Amino acid sequence: MTFCLGVKVSEGLVGIADTRITSGSECITARKVSVHERPHGSLFMMTSGLRSVRDKVCTYFEDVLESSDAEFDRLYKAVNALAQQVRRVAEEDRAALETSSLSFNFHALIGGQMEHDREPKLYLLYPQANWVEIGPGTPYVIIGETGYGKPILDRTLKYNDSMQYALKVGCLAFDSTRISATNVDFPLDVVVYKPDTFKMVEHRYEKQDLIDISNWWQERLRESVRLLPSDWTNKMFLRPDDPPGGKATIPINSGGSP
């Protein structure tokens, strides 16, 4: 499984990807985000899905990008070129995969800006090779293991937040996923893009780089639960002889342990 997160806020783009790949009993570390830069355009791509499909689509797409004929003045045109490679691999491999009871599984996040794009763009590409653009209404998308990190993003992330705030929330979403899903883990690759720079900034975080942040966040969550008002819970702890509407006489421990 995979955790890849793309965020578009008013200041720019943030991409976050884990590096754990599980194939049968094999567990390896591999980069899931690639960056492609040109003088007047740059993009990053993150992928999830069946490893053999991902590798083949990415290889074909890199050939397209390296071709002298491939000039994209809008990012959606590069996404369309990637979609063509998805269809190509589907034609070549789908039947054999289905014969082996494997689904043709591939998703991609493509973010960046080309010369004629007025602002940075972020797209989600589906296995059927169609795509949608990510916008201000819901300024993020996760591919791979989506369930564990989504709640904190839905509760806290807004389009007008800063890129630094988006990075913080994104890393906490990854941390929530890492804690609950054994097939998502460090190292963590991060890429950020500011409008009209045509330059991606990349960094890899190891576990030791962020473990203090993870522990800090966990303790703040526990402390918030301890501080949560408890009046509404009193009725669950009344003794049979307590008067209606009275306070609980059974001692209530608001902490997480005796």
Side-chain angles (χ1 to χ4, degrees), residues 82-103:
L82 175 62
Q84 291 177 351
Q85 304 314 311
V86 174
R87 296 187 183 98
R88 176 183 172 187
V89 174
E91 291 177 359
E92 295 174 353
D93 295 351
R94 185 190 297 275
L97 290 171
E98 292 178 348
T99 298
S100 301
S101 300
L102 296 171
S103 61

Side-chain angles (χ1 to χ4, degrees), residues 129-185:
N130 56 331
W131 51 259
V132 295
E133 182 177 354
I134 309 305
T138 303
Y140 80 90
V141 62
I142 303 172
I143 56 175
E145 192 70 74
T146 61
Y148 302 110
K150 192 174 186 299
I152 186 172
L153 292 162
D154 285 341
R155 284 178 175 270
T156 62
L157 184 63
K158 306 297 182 184
Y159 178 73
N160 290 326
D161 290 331
S162 68
M163 293 174 67
Q164 187 178 49
Y165 183 91
L167 176 57
K168 289 180 181 180
V169 176
C171 286
L172 292 178
F174 160 76
D175 193 61
S176 297
T177 305
R178 177 186 67 85
I179 293 296
S180 299
T182 58
N183 49 11
V184 171
D185 207 351

Side-chain angles (χ1 to χ4, degrees), residues 2-258:
T2 289
F3 178 88
C4 291
L5 168 67
V7 178
K8 178 179 178 179
V9 291
S10 57
E11 285 187 359
L13 303 175
V14 177
I16 297 174
D18 87 307
T19 54
R20 173 167 288 188
I21 291 181
T22 304
S23 180
S25 60
E26 181 184 25
C27 183
I28 65 172
T29 295
R31 187 174 170 85
K32 299 176 185 177
V33 56
S34 59
V35 172
H36 308 274
E37 294 183 334
R38 296 187 177 186
H40 299 290
S42 62
L43 66 88
F44 66 81
M45 178 175 67
M46 300 185 289
T47 59
S48 71
L50 194 64
R51 181 180 175 186
S52 62
V53 173
R54 291 162 60 176
D55 287 354
K56 197 170 187 179
V57 170
C58 291
T59 298
Y60 286 176
F61 185 55
E62 287 173 1
D63 283 346
V64 172
L65 293 176
E66 292 172 1
S67 170
S68 59
D69 297 330
E71 293 294 337
F72 306 116
D73 59 352
R74 299 283 298 277
L75 187 61
Y76 80 84
K77 295 181 180 180
V79 178
N80 282 341
L82 175 62
Q84 291 177 351
Q85 304 314 311
V86 174
R87 296 187 183 98
R88 176 183 172 187
V89 174
E91 291 177 359
E92 295 174 353
D93 295 351
R94 185 190 297 275
L97 290 171
E98 292 178 348
T99 298
S100 301
S101 300
L102 296 171
S103 61
F104 185 84
N105 184 11
F106 177 86
H107 291 79
L109 295 176
I110 307 95
Q113 186 178 18
M114 296 299 172
E115 183 177 11
H116 292 162
D117 288 318
R118 293 191 300 271
E119 62 181 12
K121 300 287 186 177
L122 179 63
Y123 297 93
L124 167 62
L125 181 69
Y126 294 101
Q128 296 79 13
N130 56 331
W131 51 259
V132 295
E133 182 177 354
I134 309 305
T138 303
Y140 80 90
V141 62
I142 303 172
I143 56 175
E145 192 70 74
T146 61
Y148 302 110
K150 192 174 186 299
I152 186 172
L153 292 162
D154 285 341
R155 284 178 175 270
T156 62
L157 184 63
K158 306 297 182 184
Y159 178 73
N160 290 326
D161 290 331
S162 68
M163 293 174 67
Q164 187 178 49
Y165 183 91
L167 176 57
K168 289 180 181 180
V169 176
C171 286
L172 292 178
F174 160 76
D175 193 61
S176 297
T177 305
R178 177 186 67 85
I179 293 296
S180 299
T182 58
N183 49 11
V184 171
D185 207 351
F186 286 100
L188 186 67
D189 289 325
V190 174
V191 57
V192 298
Y193 176 77
K194 293 183 178 180
D196 303 323
T197 60
F198 303 118
K199 180 68 176 178
M200 299 286 174
V201 178
E202 301 177 75
H203 187 75
R204 169 166 286 192
Y205 290 95
E206 302 290 345
K207 184 175 183 178
Q208 60 267 26
D209 297 326
L210 297 180
I211 190 62
D212 288 344
I213 298 300
S214 177
N215 292 337
W216 182 94
W217 176 243
Q218 180 168 305
E219 286 307 309
R220 293 309 183 279
L221 285 175
R222 287 178 56 81
E223 182 64 18
S224 295
V225 175
R226 293 187 190 103
L227 296 175
L228 191 70
S230 299
D231 291 349
W232 58 278
T233 67
N234 286 340
K235 65 178 64 177
M236 303 301 300
F237 300 95
L238 292 173
R239 294 183 186 276
D241 55 349
D242 285 334
K247 293 185 177 180
T249 57
I250 300 176
I252 301 174
N253 178 19
S254 60
S257 59

